[in-house]
């Protein structure tokens, strides 16, 4: 008696295919969430258009959009990699989704990889949309694209680590409140819309160490002023990335 042949063959799919499928699922879930779209697309777009068209904040010499566009790009990265990911992962943890996925053939590290790739896909869509709008508003960027790419990757790593740390240690409701509060505070005091020079000198030195400040100022140095590579801001982001991802890996609780 010969053994039967089963089609499809039972067993787990290859790991790259599982990661790709989970990434696609995570991206679809994120784009279908109304609150996530508000944070990742609508708010950055409205801020860019409003503050570029109406002279509300003194952004210094030159067109307002040249100052605002790099800061809004930094805000977009923060909204997706930190705020959106923290809230979504926090509630997945609360409802037991992470626990069940952790027991599936998909390794836990692969699940986090898929979440990170989903963040990167969403950021690409955000940056494309915001760049088109900024160009329509008269934006004229300068500088090295590779430096911009490096800053965005470091910023994504920094915010992802902090978002996962928050989602993996706090209750879902606390994560929701804290993530939104941090988003609002950094929007105001992170050099996104209001230049850091508008704050007192003692406060500037502290605000300049925040990841969103480092990212927005670094992007502004490159895209507005044509700097080759703002190493100070890149170093700040690298430190936040190492600390955030390291703490998330150590303290993240799946239940």
């Amino acid at each position: 008696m010969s053994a039967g042949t089963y089609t499809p063959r039972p067993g787990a799919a290859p790991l790259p295919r599982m990661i790709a499928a989970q990434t696609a699922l995570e991206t679809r879930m994120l784009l279908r969430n109304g609150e996530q779209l508000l944070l990742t697309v609508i708010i950055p777009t409205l801020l860019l258009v409003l503050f570029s068209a109406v002279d509300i904040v003194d952004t210094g010499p030159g067109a307002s959009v040249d100052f605002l566009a790099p800061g809004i790009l930094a805000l977009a990265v923060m909204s997706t990699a930190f705020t959106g990911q923290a809230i979504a992962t926090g509630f997945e943890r609360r409802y037991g989704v992470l626990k069940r996925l952790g027991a599936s053939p998909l390794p836990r590290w692969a699940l986090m990889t898929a979440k990170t790739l989903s963040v990167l896909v969403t950021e690409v869509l955000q940056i494309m949309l915001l760049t088109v709008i900024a160009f329509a508003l008269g934006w004229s960027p300068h500088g090295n694209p590779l430096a911009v790419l490096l800053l965005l990757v470091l910023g994504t790593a920094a915010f992802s680590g902090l978002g996962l740390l928050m989602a993996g240690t706090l209750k879902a409701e606390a994560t929701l409140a804290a993530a939104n509060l941090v988003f609002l505070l950094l929007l105001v005091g992170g050099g996104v819309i209001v230049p850091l020079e508008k704050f007192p000198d003692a406060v500037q030195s502290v605000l300049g160490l925040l990841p969103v400040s480092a990212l927005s100022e670094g992007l502004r140095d490159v895209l507005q002023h044509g700097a080759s590579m703002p190493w100070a801001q890149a170093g700040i982001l690298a430190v936040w990335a190492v600390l955030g991802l390291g703490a998330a890996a150590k303290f993240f609780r799946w239940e």
Side-chain angles (χ1 to χ4, degrees):
M1 182 175 179
S2 61
T5 301
Y6 297 93
T7 304
R9 184 180 179 183
L15 186 57
R17 188 185 302 173
M18 288 194 291
I19 294 176
Q22 187 65 30
T23 300
L25 175 62
E26 296 281 348
T27 304
R28 289 196 300 270
M29 290 173 60
L30 190 152
L31 295 177
R32 289 174 182 173
N33 189 307
E35 182 181 355
Q36 302 298 332
L37 286 178
L38 178 66
L39 283 171
T40 59
V41 177
I42 298 176
I43 290 179
T45 300
L46 289 177
L47 290 174
L48 177 60
V49 174
L50 175 62
F51 284 89
S52 296
V54 182
D55 190 14
I56 300 176
V57 178
D58 181 12
T59 57
S64 297
V65 68
D66 290 336
F67 174 87
L68 292 169
I72 296 299
L73 292 178
L75 180 69
V77 171
M78 181 180 72
S79 67
T80 300
F82 172 70
T83 311
Q85 185 170 217
I87 295 173
T89 306
F91 278 95
E92 287 177 353
R93 175 170 163 255
R94 175 189 175 183
Y95 295 138
V97 175
L98 294 183
K99 180 180 178 181
R100 289 174 174 81
L101 287 174
S104 71
L106 182 67
R108 291 184 174 184
W109 68 265
L111 174 60
M112 290 305 177
T113 300
K115 285 184 172 293
T116 302
L117 292 175
S118 172
V119 166
L120 293 174
V121 171
T122 306
E123 286 180 359
V124 170
L125 298 176
Q126 285 178 287
I127 292 170
M128 290 174 59
L129 174 63
L130 292 171
T131 299
V132 169
I133 294 173
F135 276 129
L137 293 169
W139 185 34
S140 55
H142 310 283
N144 184 0
L146 294 179
V148 173
L149 179 61
L150 177 60
L151 289 170
L152 291 174
V153 170
L154 289 174
T156 300
F159 286 120
S160 291
L162 296 173
L164 291 173
L165 175 63
M166 181 178 290
T169 54
L170 301 179
K171 293 183 178 180
E173 294 80 3
T175 298
L176 175 63
N180 283 314
L181 177 60
V182 170
F183 178 84
L184 291 175
L185 292 176
L186 294 183
L187 169 62
V188 175
V192 174
I193 294 175
V194 181
L196 293 180
E197 291 77 14
K198 301 295 182 181
F199 295 93
D201 292 340
V203 178
Q204 286 184 38
S205 59
V206 176
L207 294 179
L209 297 176
L210 297 175
V212 71
S213 301
L215 182 56
S216 59
E217 289 298 309
L219 291 174
R220 199 167 285 127
D221 284 346
V222 177
L223 295 172
Q224 185 179 12
H225 304 299
S228 57
M229 184 65 213
W231 292 109
Q233 284 77 16
I236 293 173
L237 291 172
V239 170
W240 278 106
V242 171
L243 293 177
L245 292 172
K250 182 175 182 179
F251 298 110
F252 191 93
R253 299 195 303 269
W254 290 78
E255 301 179 18

